[in-house]
């Protein structure tokens, strides 16, 4: 079974441009999460989808970031316009609908390395 | 979610057991202890989790103290591929899933 995939693996853009990151979760996983690590900092949560609905978007840094998950399958994260401080690695993770007492393991993708020049 | 404290780094000899401590003195009764690791240039990877009892799987063992204020992740026979940053995370199990809160983790270097 395929794991979580992310596209592109690397993206280099100039300040002010727009970039869209894509995440394909494991098939059947209702929960989809976005995280990012900016240079020298810890991995930070951005938002959480349950199917197509945003369950928690408390980590989204500002309104330049827009996440969507139309149809409850893959998700996109758009940054518009990109700023220098947006550089970092963006991770996507997915998990199954948790059962009482069950494992809430999140499966992570390899990440997208974004560089804003 | 409760805050955790881990050593910044540690070295381990290949083939020996690696014992990674984590303090979570403010953990609540309904919070689980999770361990993830991130190998360089990869996404974080789940290792193990537990609530009260010690747990073991094919990757590691998790020892949780009786008062639950600390835990230890044990890699029984460390290999060079276990070199990674290890994260101890405490979190509740919410009905609709919930985020992971990563700290600085412990950078483990397994040496030949």
């Amino acid at each position: 079974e395929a794991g979580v995939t992310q596209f592109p693996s690397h993206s280099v853009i100039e300040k002010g441009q727009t970039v869209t990151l894509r995440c394909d979760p494991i098939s059947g996983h209702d929960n989809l999460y976005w995280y990012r690590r900016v240079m020298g900092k810890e991995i930070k949560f951005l938002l959480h989808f349950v199917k197509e609905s945003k369950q928690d978007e408390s980590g989204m840094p500002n309104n330049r970031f827009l996440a969507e998950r139309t149809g409850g399958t893959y998700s996109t994260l758009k940054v518009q316009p990109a700023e220098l401080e947006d550089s970092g690695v963006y991770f996507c993770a997915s998990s199954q609908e948790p059962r009482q007492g069950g494992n809430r393991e999140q499966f992570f993708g390899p990440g997208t390395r974004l560089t804003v020049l | 979610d409760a805050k955790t404290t881990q050593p910044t780094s540690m070295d381990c000899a290949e083939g020996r057991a690696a014992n990674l401590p984590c303090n979570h003195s403010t953990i609540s009764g309904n919070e689980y202890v999770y361990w993830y690791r991130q190998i360089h240039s990869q996404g974080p990877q789940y290792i193990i989790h537990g609530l009260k009892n010690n747990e073991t799987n094919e990757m590691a063992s998790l020892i949780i103290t009786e008062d639950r204020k600390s835990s230890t992740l044990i890699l029984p026979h460390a290999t060079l591929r276990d070199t990674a940053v290890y994260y101890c995370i405490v979190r509740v199990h919410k009905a609709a899933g919930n985020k992971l809160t990563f700290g600085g983790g412990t950078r483990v270097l397994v040496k030949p």
Side-chain angles (χ1 to χ4, degrees), chain B residues 90-109:
Chain B
V90 292
R91 61 198 279 250
V92 297
H93 280 182
K94 294 182 180 177
N98 66 314
K99 63 187 178 186
L100 295 169
T101 301
F102 290 86
T106 297
R107 188 173 297 277
V108 173
L109 176 61

Side-chain angles (χ1 to χ4, degrees), chain A residues 5-16:
Chain A
T5 57
Q6 294 187 244
F7 182 83
S9 57
H10 294 84
S11 180
V12 181
I13 61 173
E14 293 191 350
K15 176 183 172 181

Side-chain angles (χ1 to χ4, degrees), chain B residues 70-82:
Chain B
S70 66
S71 60
T72 301
L73 178 74
I74 301 172
L75 307 178
H77 305 286
T79 70
L80 299 180
R81 286 176 292 184
D82 291 323

